Amino acid sequence: MGKVVASGPARRSADWLPATGLGGGAAGGWEESAQLRAGGGVVAIMSREFELCPGRLVGGEQPCFIIAEIGQNHQGDLAIAKRMIRMAKDCGADCAKFQKSELEYKFNKKALERPYTSKHSWGKTYGEHKRHLEFSHDQYRELKKYAEEIGIFFSASGMDEMAVEFLHELDIPFFKVGSGDTNNFPYLEKTAKKGRPMVISSGMQSMNTMHQVYQIVKPINPNFCFLQCTSAYPLQPEDVNLRVISAYQSAFPDIPIGYSGHETGIAISVAAVAMGAKVVERHVTLDKTWKGSDHQASLEPNELAELVKAIRTVEKAMGSPVKQLLPCEMACNEKLGKSVVAKVTIPEGAVLTLDMLTVKVGEPKGFPPEAIFDLVGQKVKKHIEEDETITEQAVENHVKKVKC
């Protein structure tokens, strides 16, 4: 049963928020947290968890779910596809994902018959090209079985409604909605009604459209997330707009937000995780020089492995919002931490003034620097030599403050 943390002031004023409420009666958990914002009040941050794949939650404080998007970078070769699934597993990705189309339902006849003379073409017409890259239903079953055997989740984008029907029959753990179908509202509604979790990319869309998507999907199927995405291959850094992740987190606080990247390198995707992306999808390839328009914007095995390693390192580094002296800092504090020391000789019975005191690395340790103003006006009960550490034993009735 889900838990909701209401943020204050109330944020349910937006027209797009369904009347059913944030929870929607969904299965899955909620992570509760609150942080202090500059200027006062406590603002609650809602971060919803749900099971994306069997036994694997996303959102909340769960680790980022990393999707290796094989797409059609397999060149239409089943053996290469299996090598890529194995590569995704070996590199530490959570899921190997493909793109499934039923071509006559995705394209009209003229689109399939148009000449295709690109250097990336696998046929004289676009239809011939796409048919070369499209695996059969039996081949998909074989690929899914292989992924299960080696221990990696398997999924696919259903590129049309009939592909979604097949993938539902195939029993994939979640549906990926590609950016090209995000504003295809009948498709979204039918896919949501299947009841499987959904990962929805947002390339080529506006914020207004994403509000509409939320309105359509949420009442039907509460287990979904949005991915910030820009549909360009390869994507230039200035067009990434990572700040949209924050905008989505504010606009849709009850669903996880992620990132689908088409840039080169890994730095931007790692930054997305630092901003709170709970799902990261990157295209992968065995060789960027291969024929095909997606290879150049894809990660080779060494890059994917480095991305996974960097994401897991950043997740550890996010740590706690509580600022305090840590056990790992004690050695440095003992060696370099400063204390209040006598700037001049201070006779027994003197009342301390600020001009009697200074701060140095002292031996032994004494009052920490932040206590110097509290010491002013205190009476000393022993003679203190110039440059001597001011200790608790030297000051009358001083109550030591606990350093938090």
Side-chain angles (χ1 to χ4, degrees):
M1 182 64 182
K3 302 178 293 180
V4 182
V5 188
S7 59
R11 298 180 60 175
R12 201 185 173 282
S13 58
D15 293 337
W16 48 267
L17 200 57
T20 53
L22 290 175
W30 292 79
E31 287 295 319
E32 299 182 12
S33 61
Q35 73 180 44
L36 289 173
R37 296 268 177 90
V42 176
V43 179
I45 302 169
M46 290 176 287
S47 184
R48 187 173 186 280
E49 292 182 359
F50 66 85
E51 189 175 71
L52 184 64
C53 295
R56 181 61 160 88
L57 299 176
V58 295
E61 297 302 316
Q62 299 297 325
C64 179
F65 188 85
I66 302 171
I67 300 172
E69 166 66 301
I70 295 169
Q72 295 190 322
N73 281 352
H74 48 68
Q75 313 300 80
D77 186 316
L78 195 67
I80 290 176
K82 289 183 177 179
R83 284 173 57 197
M84 296 185 77
I85 294 172
R86 167 58 73 177
M87 179 268 287
K89 165 68 175 177
D90 291 346
C91 291
D94 294 292
C95 177
K97 192 181 80 65
F98 290 77
Q99 295 175 4
K100 181 70 183 100
S101 299
E102 302 293 346
L103 296 179
E104 285 71 22
Y105 291 89
K106 181 179 179 182
F107 302 98
N108 68 11
K109 290 182 179 180
K110 287 187 176 180
L112 292 173
E113 292 170 356
R114 67 179 168 87
Y116 192 50
T117 57
S118 165
K119 64 180 180 179
H120 300 302
S121 174
W122 293 95
K124 293 180 180 179
T125 66
Y126 197 64
E128 289 178 6
H129 165 77
K130 295 300 289 185
R131 288 185 187 96
H132 173 84
L133 294 171
E134 198 62 50
F135 288 139
S136 69
H137 289 189
D138 284 343
Q139 287 174 315
Y140 260 87
R141 293 185 184 97
E142 186 174 343
L143 291 173
K144 181 173 182 283
K145 181 181 178 183
Y146 177 74
E148 290 169 348
E149 287 172 353
I150 67 170
I152 187 171
F153 293 119
F154 177 93
S155 192
S157 300
M159 309 300 281
D160 54 79
E161 291 180 14
M162 290 306 295
V164 169
E165 292 294 335
F166 166 67
L167 293 173
H168 185 56
E169 175 199 322
L170 190 63
D171 197 25
I172 60 170
F174 68 90
F175 290 122
K176 169 66 195 300
V177 178
S179 294
D181 279 307
T182 298
N183 60 350
N184 182 351
F185 295 158
Y187 166 98
L188 278 180
E189 191 172 70
K190 290 178 182 178
T191 302
K193 286 178 178 178
K194 298 295 184 186
R196 298 182 186 276
M198 298 169 68
V199 176
I200 304 173
S201 279
S202 60
M204 304 178 287
Q205 310 303 330
S206 67
M207 190 59 132
N208 182 61
T209 298
M210 298 312 295
H211 283 311
Q212 292 177 274
V213 171
Y214 181 99
Q215 281 184 305
I216 290 167
V217 175
K218 182 69 177 182
I220 303 170
N221 183 349
N223 296 330
F224 68 101
C225 62
F226 286 164
L227 307 186
Q228 161 56 1
C229 177
T230 303
S231 298
Y233 307 81
L235 176 60
Q236 298 305 306
E238 58 268 24
D239 293 321
V240 172
N241 296 324
L242 285 179
R243 286 193 176 98
V244 173
I245 293 174
S246 300
Y248 282 169
Q249 289 166 337
S250 296
F252 313 108
D254 58 329
I255 63 172
I257 302 301
Y259 174 71
S260 178
H262 304 130
E263 73 278 3
T264 57
I266 68 169
I268 291 170
S269 295
V270 175
V273 174
M275 293 182 70
K278 295 301 179 181
V279 176
V280 165
E281 176 187 60
R282 289 297 304 270
H283 286 255
V284 297
T285 181
L286 295 179
D287 189 336
K288 290 184 183 182
T289 66
W290 279 357
K291 183 165 73 172
S293 57
D294 283 351
H295 290 287
Q296 191 179 351
S298 300
L299 299 177
E300 290 183 338
N302 63 317
E303 294 175 299
L304 177 59
E306 187 61 31
L307 173 65
V308 174
K309 180 181 177 182
I311 286 175
R312 300 309 178 211
T313 299
V314 165
E315 287 175 329
K316 291 179 183 177
M318 295 301 289
S320 167
V322 178
K323 184 59 183 172
Q324 59 185 335
L325 180 66
L326 296 175
C328 66
E329 297 178 295
M330 294 304 297
C332 186
N333 188 56
E334 286 298 315
K335 181 180 179 181
L336 300 176
K338 294 186 177 182
S339 298
V340 179
V341 302
K343 192 174 184 180
V344 297
T345 299
I346 304 172
E348 181 182 348
V351 175
L352 293 173
T353 60
L354 191 59
D355 57 6
M356 295 178 180
L357 307 173
T358 189
V359 173
K360 293 183 179 181
V361 176
E363 182 62 40
K365 294 290 181 186
F367 287 99
E370 64 263 30
I372 193 167
F373 295 136
D374 294 329
L375 289 170
V376 173
Q378 301 293 317
K379 189 176 181 179
V380 299
K381 57 185 180 183
K382 65 183 283 287
H383 180 85
I384 303 173
E385 293 290 343
E386 179 184 348
D387 208 41
E388 186 179 342
T389 300
I390 308 293
T391 64
E392 291 182 55
Q393 293 74 23
V395 180
E396 286 188 357
N397 302 320
H398 186 80
V399 179
K400 185 178 180 182
K401 293 184 177 180
V402 178
K403 189 173 183 179
C404 298

